[in-house]
Amino acid sequence: HEYEFDSIKFKDVEYQYTNAEGEKTFSLGPLNLEINKGETIFVIGGNGSGKSTFVNLLSGLYQPTEGGLYLNDTIVSANDYPLYSDQIAAIFTNNHLFSENYTDLKIDAKNEYLMELVNMMELSEKVKFNEEKGTIETKLSKGQQKRLALIYAILEEKSLIILDEWAAEQDPYFRNYFYEIIVPYLKSEGR
């Protein structure tokens, strides 16, 4: 079944990495955190502090080795992780844009909402549509590819969007634009 996102809770969540011999090499936690619908959260910390591990736990790519992840006050069981992670749109640091349209999204210049997003991301002069394949050509700079990935994430209409170091590859102008225009827009859309 599909969930409606209201909150995610980490209750005493820990994640432990082990080496080939089963010895602990790094652990994160325990984490106790609640994220509610409509909140914007920034996760900061130095290299090796566990930010990526946290994002992988939040997105459902990792399951806690201890504690529990709760969606709307219901624990996410091991069997429910695919359903849980399907409720989230995520753009990771090392993202990849596919050249095929594997979704039922209408990717063409006639899609008014898509064109609004293309304009918001300041890509109207950069994107080229392949009407036959229902795709956008991906010959873009790394920063522009992340903007396009964010467009796709918005089109998926997920309540929770995870952006892992998304602004890092944007030029200073667009990085500022992201924080002042795009983040408030996403929040106003209930994401």
Side-chain angles (χ1 to χ4, degrees), residues 108-185:
D108 65 45
K110 296 178 197 110
N111 180 335
E112 290 180 24
Y113 185 48
L114 170 61
M115 294 311 296
E116 283 178 35
L117 295 172
V118 166
N119 288 330
M120 177 191 296
M121 297 295 167
E122 299 187 357
L123 290 174
S124 57
E125 302 296 319
K126 303 288 183 186
V127 298
K128 292 182 178 62
F129 289 92
N130 182 326
E131 302 286 340
E132 185 179 315
K133 286 176 136 182
T135 61
I136 293 176
E137 300 297 326
T138 57
K139 293 177 182 154
L140 301 167
S141 72
K142 200 68 173 151
Q144 292 166 342
Q145 286 178 21
K146 285 210 172 173
R147 293 184 208 177
L148 182 56
L150 183 51
I151 290 170
Y152 291 149
I154 293 169
L155 289 173
E156 288 181 12
E157 297 183 339
K158 309 289 185 183
S159 294
L160 186 62
I161 298 177
I162 298 172
L163 304 173
D164 185 12
E165 296 187 30
W166 187 91
E169 291 165 323
Q170 303 301 322
D171 61 46
Y173 160 77
F174 206 85
R175 189 175 304 132
N176 189 51
Y177 180 84
F178 170 73
Y179 290 116
E180 291 186 2
I181 304 299
I182 296 172
V183 170
Y185 168 80

Side-chain angles (χ1 to χ4, degrees), residues 52-114:
S52 293
T53 301
F54 169 74
V55 167
N56 287 332
L57 286 163
L58 179 61
S59 66
L61 291 175
Y62 290 1
Q63 293 181 28
T65 51
E66 297 290 332
L69 179 65
Y70 292 76
L71 179 63
N72 305 333
D73 296 319
T74 302
I75 194 161
V76 179
S77 70
N79 291 337
D80 287 336
Y81 264 84
L83 292 170
Y84 167 79
S85 61
D86 193 44
Q87 304 308 304
I88 300 167
I91 302 171
F92 295 101
T93 300
N94 56 349
N95 70 306
H96 176 79
L97 289 173
F98 291 98
S99 57
E100 298 293 325
N101 186 349
Y102 295 107
T103 64
D104 58 0
L105 298 175
K106 185 180 173 197
I107 307 295
D108 65 45
K110 296 178 197 110
N111 180 335
E112 290 180 24
Y113 185 48
L114 170 61

Side-chain angles (χ1 to χ4, degrees), residues 10-22:
F10 282 67
K11 290 188 180 175
D12 297 320
V13 168
E14 294 183 37
Y15 187 82
Q16 298 172 352
Y17 292 91
T18 56
N19 61 19
E21 291 79 38

